[in-house]
Amino acid sequence: MTASLDAEQASGAARMFKALGDSIRLRLFSMIASAADGEVCVCDLTGPFDLSAPTISYHLKILREAGLVTSERRGTWVYYRARRDGLEILSGLLAAPTG
């Protein structure tokens, strides 16, 4: 990152980090962000967890509200994608300065 954050940018970044501060949401985000074809059906996100579908939906809602993922309904299923702009913000803040 080349410049410090203003108040609005800091608030948005804090919301993203807070959303990822939960291990379930961090795992969900990791599954979505690393999907081979860039998106994941919610039907594929519920199996790896010992949680109800409404609980998974709640965690996905938090990720969406934080600006980390987008969703698109197709028939009865919802597909999730990582927001690249959110990833760029987080990676910019976490990148160690060189030199």
Tab-separated table of all heavy atoms in Angstrom, residues 2 20 67:
chain	number	residue	atom	x	y	z
A	2	THR	N	0.562	2.185	-0.819
A	2	THR	CA	1.425	3.348	-0.963
A	2	THR	C	0.975	4.539	-0.129
A	2	THR	O	1.748	5.441	0.113
A	2	THR	CB	1.496	3.782	-2.441
A	2	THR	OG1	0.173	4.067	-2.895
A	2	THR	CG2	2.109	2.687	-3.296
A	20	LEU	N	-13.690	-11.777	8.444
A	20	LEU	CA	-12.765	-12.901	8.314
A	20	LEU	C	-12.207	-13.363	9.661
A	20	LEU	O	-11.490	-14.359	9.721
A	20	LEU	CB	-11.616	-12.533	7.366
A	20	LEU	CG	-12.036	-12.308	5.919
A	20	LEU	CD1	-10.849	-11.823	5.102
A	20	LEU	CD2	-12.640	-13.564	5.319
A	67	GLY	N	-18.376	-6.929	1.775
A	67	GLY	CA	-17.795	-6.620	0.473
A	67	GLY	C	-16.774	-7.627	0.001
A	67	GLY	O	-15.974	-7.337	-0.884
